[in-house]
């Protein structure tokens, strides 16, 4: 799977290593060393994926991520020296699809790139399905969700989580079950599910679907059986 990857990294040596490994995997690469340049390249080149460092001069990685998410659902993997779980969860709440922490093994990053690209361009496992829960429609073949006729801008991770929930509306899933079913290649913590579904809930509610995505205290999440 060849893709255009935008590497946003202010340390030249790390950027060069990532570029070399990405090209070895058959990907094309654009590089930016600061947030402002990253956004310019993102808008001009329209990459398939961003590898985004959080600690950037000028605009921070979080600011870049917010701008990218305001524009669309291009997959983003955070690459950061911050091992603080709070930073990782915050990035995921802003819409990142996964993260790796420096120092990292380049092969680990390539595995994450492959997994996120597969989730973004592929479909949930199994035969394509169209799930309808009230006015919510989730089409796993088209990788598209609609509510009241409006397309919802879910990230790949959000879409896969909702597709898992939509397969059996009314059933409560634990965070571990959702993580294993929707994000099997990720090493993220279960709190990541909370971050992705909090974002998905906001999008559902803003489109006129309050109460569709429900938290089950002490268990996890479910989709209401009817919208």
């Amino acid at each position: 799977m060849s893709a255009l990857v935008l590497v946003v990294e202010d340390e030249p040596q790390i950027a060069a290593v990532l570029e070399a490994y990405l090209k070895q995997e058959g990907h094309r690469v654009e590089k930016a060393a600061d947030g402002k340049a990253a956004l310019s390249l993102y808008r001009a080149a329209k990459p398939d994926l961003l590898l985004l460092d959080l600690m950037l001069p000028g605009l921070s990685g979080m600011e870049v991520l917010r701008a990218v998410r305001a524009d669309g659902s291009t997959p983003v993997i955070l690459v950061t020296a911050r091992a603080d779980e709070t930073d990782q969860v915050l990035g995921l709440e802003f819409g990142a699809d996964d993260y790796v922490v420096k120092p990292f093994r380049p092969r680990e990053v390539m595995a994450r790139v492959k997994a996120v690209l597969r989730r973004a361009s592929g479909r949930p496992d199994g035969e394509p399905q169209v799930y309808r829960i009230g006015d919510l429609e989730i089409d796993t073949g088209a990788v598209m969700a609609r509510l009241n006729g409006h397309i919802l801008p879910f990230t790949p991770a959000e879409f896969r989580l909702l597709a898992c929930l939509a397969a059996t509306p009314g059933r409560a899933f634990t965070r571990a079950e959702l993580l294993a079913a929707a994000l099997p290649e990720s090493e993220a913590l279960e709190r990541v599910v909370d971050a992705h579904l909090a974002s998905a809930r906001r999008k559902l509610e803003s489109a006129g679907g309050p109460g569709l995505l429900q938290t089950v205290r002490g268990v996890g999440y479910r989709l209401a059986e009817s919208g």
Side-chain angles (χ1 to χ4, degrees):
M1 180 190 300
S2 177
L4 176 59
V5 180
L6 174 55
V7 175
V8 186
E9 171 60 64
D10 64 331
E11 296 184 47
Q13 185 175 0
I14 293 177
V17 168
L18 290 172
E19 179 182 24
Y21 273 84
L22 286 164
K23 287 185 173 179
Q24 188 176 50
E25 294 291 321
H27 300 304
R28 294 162 290 134
V29 179
E30 294 281 358
K31 293 187 296 182
D34 61 69
K36 186 176 180 181
L39 285 178
S40 294
L41 265 175
Y42 163 74
R43 289 163 181 149
K46 302 187 185 306
D48 299 299
L49 180 142
L50 277 75
L51 281 171
L52 176 62
D53 188 15
L54 278 182
M55 301 294 289
L56 295 171
L59 288 175
S60 71
M62 287 293 190
E63 290 173 300
V64 173
L65 176 57
R66 279 196 293 263
V68 169
R69 276 294 159 264
D71 185 64
S73 58
T74 301
V76 177
I77 299 175
L78 298 180
V79 182
T80 176
R82 296 180 174 180
D84 187 340
E85 181 186 331
T86 301
D87 288 321
Q88 296 161 4
V89 172
L90 183 61
L92 291 161
E93 286 178 343
F94 284 154
D97 295 272
D98 208 341
Y99 62 83
V100 290
V101 178
K102 299 175 185 176
F104 54 75
R105 297 188 304 274
R107 287 297 179 192
E108 173 193 3
V109 182
M110 295 307 105
R112 299 292 181 88
V113 167
K114 182 178 180 180
V116 170
L117 284 172
R118 183 166 62 248
R119 294 201 299 261
S121 62
R123 302 173 174 87
D125 294 337
E127 291 297 316
Q129 300 287 337
V130 178
Y131 302 115
R132 293 182 176 88
I133 302 99
D135 294 322
L136 175 65
E137 178 182 299
I138 296 177
D139 185 337
T140 66
V143 194
M144 184 178 296
R146 294 184 179 88
L147 181 60
N148 298 320
H150 300 291
I151 295 174
L152 298 169
F154 292 129
T155 67
E158 292 165 6
F159 182 86
R160 289 178 70 91
L161 286 165
L162 284 172
C164 179
L165 291 165
T168 51
R171 178 196 163 186
F173 287 79
T174 67
R175 292 166 178 81
E177 287 175 325
L178 290 169
L179 198 60
L183 308 170
E185 307 92 346
S186 176
E187 295 178 8
L189 302 170
E190 289 182 16
R191 281 186 62 193
V192 166
V193 172
D194 295 332
H196 286 310
L197 289 182
S199 174
R201 178 182 278 129
R202 287 193 294 271
K203 293 171 184 177
L204 286 167
E205 291 177 348
S206 67
L212 269 173
L213 178 56
Q214 302 173 345
T215 301
V216 182
R217 188 179 298 274
V219 181
Y221 297 90
R222 70 181 169 217
L223 273 182
E225 292 190 72
S226 62

